[in-house]
Amino acid sequence: MYPAQFDYRRAGSVDEALSLLQENEDAKLMAGGHSLIPMMKLRLAQPPVVIDIGRLNELKGISEAGGSVRVGSLTTHADIAASDVLAAHCPVLAEAAGHIGDAQVRNRGTIGGNIAHADPGSDIPPVLVLLGASVHLQSPSGTRSVAAGDFFQDLLMTDVGEDEILTHVDAPALGAGTGSAYLKFEHPASGYAVVGAAASVTVQGGRCTGAGLVVGGVSATPTAVDVSSLVGTDLSDDAIAAAASGLDAEDPIGDIFASGDYRVHVGKVYGKRALAAARDRA
Amino acid sequence: MTVSIQLEVNGKPVQAAVEPRRLLVHFLREDLGLTGANIGCETSLCGACTVLVDGNAVKSCTMLAAQADGASVTTIEGLAQNGELHPLQEGFWEKHGLQCGYCTPGMILSANYLLAQNPSPDDEEIREGLKGNICRCTGYHNIVEAVKYAAERMS
Amino acid sequence: MARVLGTSIKRREDPALITGRGKYTDDLKAEGLAHAVIVRSPYAHARIRGIDTSAAAALPGVLAVLTARDVAAAGIPGVVPVGWLLPDLVTPAHPMIAADTVRHVGDAVAVVVAEDRYLARDAADRVAVDYEPLDAVADVVAALEDGAPSVHEEAPGNVAFDWEIGEREPVDAAFASAAHTVELDLRNNRLIPHAIEPRAVLASYDSSTGEMTIHMTSQNPHVHRLLMTLASLGMPEHKVRIVAPEVGGGFGSKIHHYADEAIVGLCSMKLDRPVKWTATRTETNLTDAHGRDHSTRCALALDADGRITGLRVDTAAAMGAYLSTFAPAVPTYLYGTLMSGQYDIPAIHCHVTGVFTHTTPVDAYRGAGRPEATYVVERLMHLAGEATGLGPVEVRRRNFVSPDAFPYQTQVALAYDSGNYGPAMDRALEMIGYEDLRSQQASRRDNGAKQIGIGFSSYIEACGLAPSAVVGSLGAQAGQWESADVRVHPTASVTVYTGSSSHGQGHETTFSQIVADRLGIDPEAVEVIHGDTDLVQFGMGTYGSRSAAVGGSAIARSVDKIIEKGKKIAAHLLEASAEDLEYEDGSFRVAGSPDRSLGLGDVALQAYLAHNYPDDLEPGLSATSFYDPANFTYPFGTHVCVVEVDTETGSIELLRYAAVDDVGNVINPMIVDGQLHGGLAQGIGQALWENAVYDESGQLVSGSLMDYAVPKIHNLIPFELDRTTTPCPHNPLGVKGVGEAGAIASPAAVVNAVVDALAPFGISHIDMPLTPEKVWRAVNS
């Protein structure tokens, strides 16, 4: 309940944050603090310096342009969940953000902090992988982008370098004829996803022309399921169930609430249900 | 080191120098004597410490006092206006929405935020909106009734 | 004036609590306040080879670092005692601070006091303890196995006690001739109380007077003072004042005397200044006494008509690492004695082994023994309904103790004073729309993954903990009466000093209603004082659903004494005979002469003036009672739970929960319903979510709210409540108890509903909590 001592630096710009990061070894960036502060209260994290980037308005906001949506890394889950832009162009991201924690957590927690923490029970990562989103990073030497599928590397590990700041996420807008859904099997204590299934389905003329399914919570990183067998079908329940049953995780994670085997099973069931919900919305 | 902060708490300006590690909830409780916000866990789950920061319900145990610099904070002590209980306070009293009272300030402030977002929530929306607040006494039955009572009064 | 008993008047406690003005222990300040952090064992079992406190002590702002050596040097008893003894109970010492061995994760090994709590925590991190880890055993069954690691040398095989009730031979005979038998191995899962306010204490010692004031999270300040002074700190009882300010829930966890509060008292004595300690959630979960943790084998024998002929129960009950305050009583006298349930059972035998484990101690938690017993009996009744083909309703009805059989002597010591079980069952069936539900269930049986189940629990409980002579003969080291001092002031307003200390139950409101009703005055004219050993006469406190039945009755007794005295005064003033006086609606009247009367205020004033006063009376108008009831009270009822089980994932959704409870006369229906709601949430929590899980090394892996699922608002549903009223025949108010009923009845109702939903899968039992994975595995096995 009582964090260890640290020095506090408040960045006034991304450039200032980057130079503070360079000047202070083992410094931690803090956006909303909803991943970092809980760890610090338990003294599981004891950074010598915390760089508060929470006021960098340049990293906040949601916009759409040219068939792509952009979400600034400091955008809160509450703003994502309530976004009209996302409701129109990328509803599954808003839907998933609305499932995170609770109202208070969504008011402070940010998408950047969330994905940089890369908790396997987080609701956002499988959606970003499903969407084929790109994560944008900035360092003193420039900017780069990483596909969401490559960004999440392992349990609590991402591709963010020590000198980098996550600036925003870009995701292709979902077009007409595409339905999407995020279904969550919630842990009754933590509120994290035991399993979170993100699905999208595109239908043209009664036939499926594209489908995707990514399941979170089963492995250390989001697990994509090959559901290409759905393309060309009429998306019958049987076809969907068969496609979702392709979920495979080599080394599923487990805990006292849900074993790895069980998570894989629920992943298949929720994958099926998410695909069916996406179909019904297409 | 200390950080100088200026903020508004329950409508009054406050200035202080705090250790960077000082949690907002400790600043409110110990430095300002506003003990209405309570601490019930250390994993940001119980919601007993909920306050409004710039109108948004937040868990003051998961925020540094330094982060609140420049913000406007409302605690349970600031909810009643001119000696008049807020409709939510009345609702919790009228409908027996509290027993030990420890979770109540946070619960009321979360409900306040909920009603600001959604002035006439149904039962399910109330239950979803308050999931960040744990009550061990009431079984929540009367909390839902209390929020409905307040929503009606406020509409 | 209108009756105030039976009226839902709003709680007088609430204005302070809804405005943030209520003061809980951690809210309190004191001049020169220092803060303590307790250093705890990270091991379930280890030898302490040494403790180096120098780095901690050297930190600026640190005032003291104490270990077991300082407890010894202080020359105080330094132990945490057990307050309930059983025959042949093994009672190993529980030192305030572990000296050479730690026996559970969280055992205190040192304490740091500093000017600030952040600093105290910094210093605690610098206390270096050299541990030699030893093998540990956390599971109650594993602890009884040959070769299990030993918790205490004095307790071979980890057995704390071996206890039985009822007679074995008639039960064996019943099983030998039974037409039907059902049996079950079950677990009553270990629970962590989770009062939302963690335990806290502020101890202020003043060497100039030798007095210490301790504000703390207490359900029973006098009991805490007694145990604290006698066994831990060795102070004279009259030099210690214990105050329970607002207390943020207890559910049993704040009954018990713990090491931590005594440690903080010692710190204050050493430093001669106020010291505060507030547990973090992690700490409070590692040190608050846990609940339940039984492993049970049980069986029921029935004849061809479905009448029960015998019940056999064998339970291993975890005590944890040390015997907590009331621990030995919980799985014995509060458990074995409840085994007859609502049923006329001619032969019962219950055997219980108390077991030490390297875990947090186990003690009374909401229901304390009675939920465990109800779960055993009602799970067996569900199976009996299946085995006999009678179904859950008829098998219960057929075995209910008949309404004309009261008082009913069970085979397990208790004598039920009153009861009428059929009407509660009838009403519950009506509320839930039983026949409709059964047809809905039938229509789902063959289609769809989601199955409906209906579960019953017809429970009895013995509460209103008392009478003293009985509990004394059973091993209690304390009486179980309650006290009340009622003082009518010269202006006829009233102050009540009650030994029942409230922590959320609304005693101030309820007790004011008792006084107002009996005296015929406005409840606003009654003040209720509790929770302060300097203000209130010795009281036993609030637990065991005893406050209304015992504490309330004590108040009623005192009021009656006041009325009797008032009649004498009024008779003197009215020049009538006291025998001819009646008291009604706040006035003393001469029977048959309505114009000859005096108001309570007139009499009260004269009682204090004593200018014109009976020779044989003392002035003043107050009365103290120590009410010791003749028996427990026996609330009962039938609960029905309806669930939907997703057989594809094992998830359970609550659809309905109807409860018909008979808690006797009701003083404040709103508060009574609130108590039921809260109990239901905790019982449903036990059935579906809550579980204190230890790994094999004795680490508590569900020690935080990240893993331990306390029921949340979106996982519960509205509760449908109704009542029947069978007044308690032996107390002046006709009230029983209500605080624990919901927690006692509901686990069985929920589990029976789930098992009922899964009947097509041939499932007869799943252990609590019914996590989705367990249900899914049962469906697929």
Side-chain angles (χ1 to χ4, degrees):
Chain A
M1 200 60 215
Y2 312 104
Q5 282 182 321
F6 57 87
D7 283 347
Y8 175 83
R9 299 278 183 270
R10 186 180 295 156
S13 67
V14 172
D15 287 342
E16 190 187 353
L18 287 171
S19 52
L20 284 168
L21 205 49
Q22 275 200 310
E23 288 160 18
N24 296 285
E25 206 179 337
D26 296 328
K28 281 278 185 191
L29 294 173
M30 184 170 70
H34 271 48
S35 297
L36 186 58
I37 294 175
M39 305 267 285
M40 291 170 65
K41 284 197 294 185
L42 297 170
R43 300 203 172 191
L44 298 172
Q46 301 195 18
V49 178
V50 168
I51 302 166
D52 184 353
I53 56 170
R55 288 159 202 258
L56 303 183
N57 287 330
E58 58 205 280
L59 300 182
K60 291 177 188 168
I62 301 163
S63 59
E64 188 269 338
S68 180
V69 295
R70 173 165 295 191
V71 182
S73 59
L74 286 181
T75 313
T76 63
H77 306 307
D79 286 343
I80 294 172
S83 164
D84 293 337
V85 172
L86 292 176
H89 299 287
C90 208
V92 67
L93 183 56
E95 186 178 14
H99 279 288
I100 292 174
D102 50 58
Q104 297 98 306
V105 168
R106 292 194 293 273
N107 280 336
R108 291 291 301 167
T110 65
I111 187 169
N114 179 294
I115 64 176
H117 186 59
D119 192 295
S122 169
D123 300 290
I124 297 296
V127 174
L128 295 185
V129 175
L130 173 83
L131 293 170
S134 55
V135 180
H136 294 257
L137 303 161
Q138 187 174 337
S139 71
S141 52
T143 61
R144 68 184 178 108
S145 75
V146 192
D150 298 326
F151 178 80
F152 301 103
Q153 296 184 330
D154 205 341
L155 196 73
L156 308 179
M157 280 179 60
T158 69
D159 192 32
V160 183
E162 280 186 7
D163 61 347
E164 287 182 313
I165 287 181
L166 201 165
T167 54
H168 61 276
V169 173
D170 283 339
L174 298 177
T178 298
S180 60
Y182 176 75
L183 245 64
K184 178 176 185 173
F185 188 95
E186 184 181 298
H187 191 289
S190 69
Y192 278 82
V194 176
V195 165
S200 67
V201 167
T202 306
V203 180
Q204 281 177 347
R207 293 277 148 189
C208 172
T209 60
L213 174 63
V214 180
V215 180
V218 171
S219 299
T221 58
T223 308
V225 185
D226 180 0
V227 290
S228 56
S229 64
L230 290 173
V231 174
T233 72
D234 64 354
L235 293 168
S236 67
D237 287 348
D238 287 347
I240 282 175
S245 71
L247 171 66
D248 189 23
E250 262 183 31
D251 193 13
I253 53 174
D255 63 10
I256 55 169
F257 180 73
S259 69
D261 289 354
Y262 177 68
R263 283 168 191 257
V264 171
H265 168 75
V266 174
K268 290 174 183 173
V269 175
Y270 271 61
K272 176 180 75 175
R273 293 178 184 178
L275 282 167
R279 173 196 62 197
D280 296 344
R281 293 172 183 177
Chain B
M1 76 180 280
T2 58
V3 185
S4 292
I5 56 172
Q6 287 188 39
L7 62 163
E8 196 180 273
V9 179
N10 297 330
K12 294 190 190 107
V14 173
Q15 244 183 328
V18 294
E19 262 198 303
R21 61 173 169 171
R22 196 151 190 80
L23 299 173
L24 178 59
V25 68
H26 288 135
F27 175 69
L28 293 171
R29 289 176 51 79
E30 297 184 8
D31 301 350
L32 303 186
L34 297 169
T35 54
N38 290 319
I39 300 170
C41 79
E42 51 195 329
T43 49
S44 315
L45 286 163
C46 82
C49 65
T50 300
V51 300
L52 302 179
V53 174
D54 296 327
N56 292 323
V58 306
K59 292 177 175 172
S60 63
C61 75
T62 313
M63 191 167 168
L64 305 174
Q67 287 177 291
D69 185 20
S72 167
V73 176
T74 304
T75 70
I76 191 71
E77 290 90 344
L79 201 60
Q81 293 294 325
N82 308 319
E84 289 272 308
L85 290 179
H86 186 278
L88 274 162
Q89 292 171 312
E90 282 182 19
F92 273 73
W93 189 10
E94 192 70 38
K95 295 294 178 183
H96 191 28
L98 66 150
Q99 290 179 25
C100 82
Y102 197 76
C103 76
T104 309
M107 195 69 81
I108 287 177
L109 289 167
S110 279
N112 182 284
Y113 174 73
L114 169 69
L115 294 182
Q117 306 287 307
N118 177 0
S120 50
D122 62 22
D123 280 33
E124 198 182 325
E125 289 167 333
I126 293 170
R127 287 181 183 269
E128 197 56 36
L130 298 181
K131 69 190 276 195
N133 294 75
I134 293 176
C135 169
R136 191 60 157 163
C137 291
T138 63
Y140 306 105
H141 182 110
N142 287 341
I143 288 176
V144 175
E145 297 303 312
V147 175
K148 285 200 287 197
Y149 175 94
E152 262 172 46
R153 287 285 312 277
M154 290 163 75
S155 67
Chain C
M1 79 182 274
R3 300 283 294 187
V4 286
L5 273 193
T7 310
S8 291
I9 61 175
K10 288 198 289 183
R11 298 201 324 169
R12 57 176 57 193
E13 288 86 347
D14 291 0
L17 302 176
I18 55 181
T19 55
R21 292 187 188 183
K23 293 291 178 208
Y24 301 87
T25 299
D26 190 62
D27 299 345
L28 302 174
K29 292 197 166 181
E31 191 64 32
L33 182 62
H35 296 269
V37 166
I38 294 171
V39 181
R40 302 185 181 282
S41 169
Y43 294 103
H45 191 199
R47 194 159 293 125
I48 300 171
R49 284 191 290 231
I51 302 180
D52 183 354
T53 59
S54 56
L59 209 61
V62 171
L63 302 166
V65 186
L66 308 182
T67 66
R69 216 174 270 184
D70 299 283
V71 178
I76 60 175
V79 297
V80 181
V82 59
W84 195 298
L85 303 178
L86 302 173
D88 303 321
L89 179 71
V90 182
T91 56
H94 177 187
M96 267 166 57
I97 300 183
D100 46 21
T101 306
V102 288
R103 293 187 174 83
H104 70 94
V105 174
D107 221 350
V109 296
V111 57
V112 175
V113 188
E115 298 284 358
D116 169 88
R117 55 175 81 188
Y118 283 71
L119 190 61
R121 176 62 213 270
D122 293 343
D125 284 356
R126 287 168 172 75
V127 173
V129 185
D130 181 12
Y131 292 104
E132 178 192 344
L134 302 170
D135 287 343
V137 61
D139 180 79
V140 65
V141 174
L144 287 172
E145 285 167 5
D146 286 346
S150 175
V151 182
H152 294 282
E153 270 177 29
E154 306 92 309
N158 293 320
V159 174
F161 63 81
D162 190 289
W163 179 90
E164 64 180 340
I165 193 165
E167 290 182 49
R168 196 183 289 270
E169 292 73 20
V171 173
D172 289 344
F175 275 86
S177 62
H180 306 280
T181 61
V182 289
E183 63 181 332
L184 200 52
D185 282 347
L186 59 83
R187 286 276 183 145
N188 254 290
N189 40 325
R190 180 185 275 246
L191 305 177
I192 305 178
H194 276 101
I196 299 297
E197 179 200 26
R199 277 177 27 247
V201 55
L202 193 171
S204 308
Y205 180 73
D206 180 345
S207 64
S208 68
T209 59
E211 290 172 359
M212 180 145 67
T213 299
I214 301 175
H215 288 81
M216 63 183 275
T217 49
S218 174
Q219 297 180 218
N220 36 213
H222 283 94
V223 175
H224 274 132
R225 184 179 67 173
L226 178 64
L227 298 175
M228 180 90 84
T229 53
L230 198 64
S232 300
L233 298 179
M235 285 184 74
E237 196 176 357
H238 68 291
K239 289 290 195 184
V240 173
R241 172 188 185 191
I242 290 189
V243 183
E246 294 293 352
V247 177
F251 318 112
S253 68
K254 293 168 182 170
I255 299 171
H256 321 304
H257 174 47
Y258 296 97
D260 310 300
E261 283 81 341
I263 290 169
V264 177
L266 176 64
C267 290
S268 181
M269 290 165 79
K270 287 282 254 191
L271 293 169
D272 198 10
R273 60 188 276 187
V275 179
K276 190 198 282 183
W277 168 80
T278 300
T280 63
R281 173 55 54 192
T282 305
E283 274 186 297
T284 219
N285 283 0
L286 284 171
T287 58
D288 287 13
H290 293 178
R292 324 292 190 245
D293 201 358
H294 290 189
S295 174
T296 295
R297 169 159 288 193
C298 54
L300 198 63
L302 301 103
D303 67 16
D305 295 330
R307 283 180 213 287
I308 305 166
T309 55
L311 168 63
R312 178 190 285 151
V313 180
D314 193 357
T315 293
M319 292 286 104
Y322 305 102
L323 295 174
S324 178
T325 310
F326 288 138
V330 176
T332 54
Y333 292 107
L334 295 176
Y335 172 71
T337 55
L338 267 289
M339 286 299 168
S340 205
Q342 295 192 355
Y343 311 111
D344 181 16
I345 306 180
I348 301 174
H349 182 257
C350 175
H351 172 244
V352 182
T353 310
V355 185
F356 288 113
T357 55
H358 289 109
T359 62
T360 299
V362 178
D363 203 331
Y365 162 67
R366 200 170 196 163
R370 291 149 293 169
E372 296 93 308
T374 300
Y375 186 65
V376 167
V377 173
E378 289 302 291
R379 284 294 296 120
L380 286 171
M381 289 306 285
H382 179 89
L383 297 182
E386 308 255 300
T388 57
L390 294 173
V393 175
E394 181 53 28
V395 77
R396 285 180 169 84
R397 272 196 210 289
R398 201 164 282 196
N399 287 286
F400 281 157
V401 173
S402 140
D404 54 17
F406 293 92
Y408 173 79
Q409 178 62 51
T410 68
Q411 299 303 307
V412 279
L414 295 182
Y416 299 164
D417 57 12
S418 60
N420 188 8
Y421 304 141
M425 168 70 92
D426 295 342
R427 180 69 188 120
L429 291 172
E430 182 186 30
M431 284 165 68
I432 208 87
Y434 186 57
E435 296 306 325
D436 280 356
L437 273 175
R438 281 291 180 212
S439 31
Q440 276 185 49
Q441 179 185 47
S443 70
R444 293 250 198 131
R445 279 302 191 209
D446 296 322
N447 69 68
K450 297 192 173 175
Q451 292 293 322
I452 289 179
I454 308 161
F456 290 83
S457 178
S458 295
Y459 75 99
I460 179 94
E461 63 157 318
C463 66
L465 283 193
S468 300
V470 173
V471 297
S473 73
L474 302 179
Q477 303 299 295
Q480 287 294 350
W481 40 264
E482 193 50 272
S483 66
D485 179 9
V486 177
R487 302 182 194 168
V488 179
H489 306 303
T491 53
S493 65
V494 178
T495 302
V496 176
Y497 298 81
T498 171
S500 291
S501 178
S502 181
H503 47 286
Q505 295 88 349
H507 287 9
E508 295 170 28
T509 303
T510 301
F511 289 167
S512 74
Q513 286 179 263
I514 293 173
V515 174
D517 188 84
R518 246 177 161 72
L519 278 182
I521 61 175
D522 188 330
E524 292 302 314
V526 184
E527 192 68 25
V528 177
I529 307 289
H530 62 88
D532 184 334
T533 59
D534 263 15
L535 293 178
V536 178
Q537 68 292 340
F538 204 105
M540 296 311 301
T542 292
Y543 47 84
S545 303
R546 66 194 304 276
S547 293
V550 192
S553 293
I555 293 168
R557 275 279 177 85
S558 287
V559 173
D560 291 348
K561 289 178 188 171
I562 285 167
I563 291 171
E564 284 315 300
K565 183 172 181 182
K567 281 180 182 172
K568 289 180 187 163
I569 301 167
H572 176 83
L573 296 168
L574 294 167
E575 295 177 344
S577 159
E579 288 80 49
D580 293 338
L581 281 178
E582 293 168 345
Y583 186 74
E584 208 183 327
D585 289 341
S587 293
F588 295 92
R589 296 190 184 115
V590 180
S593 310
D595 53 328
R596 294 175 68 203
S597 74
L598 282 171
L600 177 65
D602 304 322
V603 171
L605 183 62
Q606 292 308 319
Y608 287 93
L609 292 175
H611 296 164
N612 175 14
Y613 207 67
D615 291 339
D616 57 345
L617 272 191
E618 292 176 1
L621 195 57
S622 70
T624 301
S625 299
F626 287 75
Y627 176 76
D628 200 346
N631 196 349
F632 295 94
T633 71
Y634 298 94
F636 62 86
T638 289
H639 290 203
V640 190
C641 179
V642 186
V643 297
E644 183 180 79
V645 183
D646 180 343
T647 57
E648 218 175 358
T649 61
S651 299
I652 295 161
E653 191 185 341
L654 294 166
L655 298 181
R656 304 269 304 277
Y657 198 102
V660 181
D661 296 280
D662 192 318
V663 298
N665 291 336
V666 167
I667 300 166
N668 185 317
M670 175 190 83
I671 288 176
V672 164
D673 287 351
Q675 289 294 309
L676 285 163
H677 294 156
L680 289 176
Q682 287 177 10
I684 293 169
Q686 173 173 18
L688 294 181
W689 303 298
E690 299 188 32
N691 204 15
V693 181
Y694 283 91
D695 69 12
E696 286 192 356
S697 71
Q699 293 293 327
L700 177 59
V701 290
S702 60
S704 88
L705 286 169
M706 290 292 283
D707 292 295
Y708 189 98
V710 165
K712 297 193 190 179
I713 189 167
H714 63 300
N715 292 328
L716 289 175
I717 56 173
F719 303 119
E720 303 162 50
L721 305 184
D722 202 357
R723 277 188 268 284
T724 61
T725 303
T726 309
C728 172
H730 65 72
N731 67 44
L733 298 167
V735 299
K736 305 184 202 171
V738 69
E740 297 165 293
I744 289 168
S746 53
V750 175
V751 175
N752 286 340
V754 173
V755 170
D756 182 59
L758 299 176
F761 298 89
I763 292 165
S764 59
H765 183 68
I766 305 171
D767 268 330
M768 301 185 289
L770 304 179
T771 62
E773 180 166 2
K774 276 195 223 167
V775 172
W776 173 72
R777 288 196 184 282
V779 166
N780 287 284
S781 66

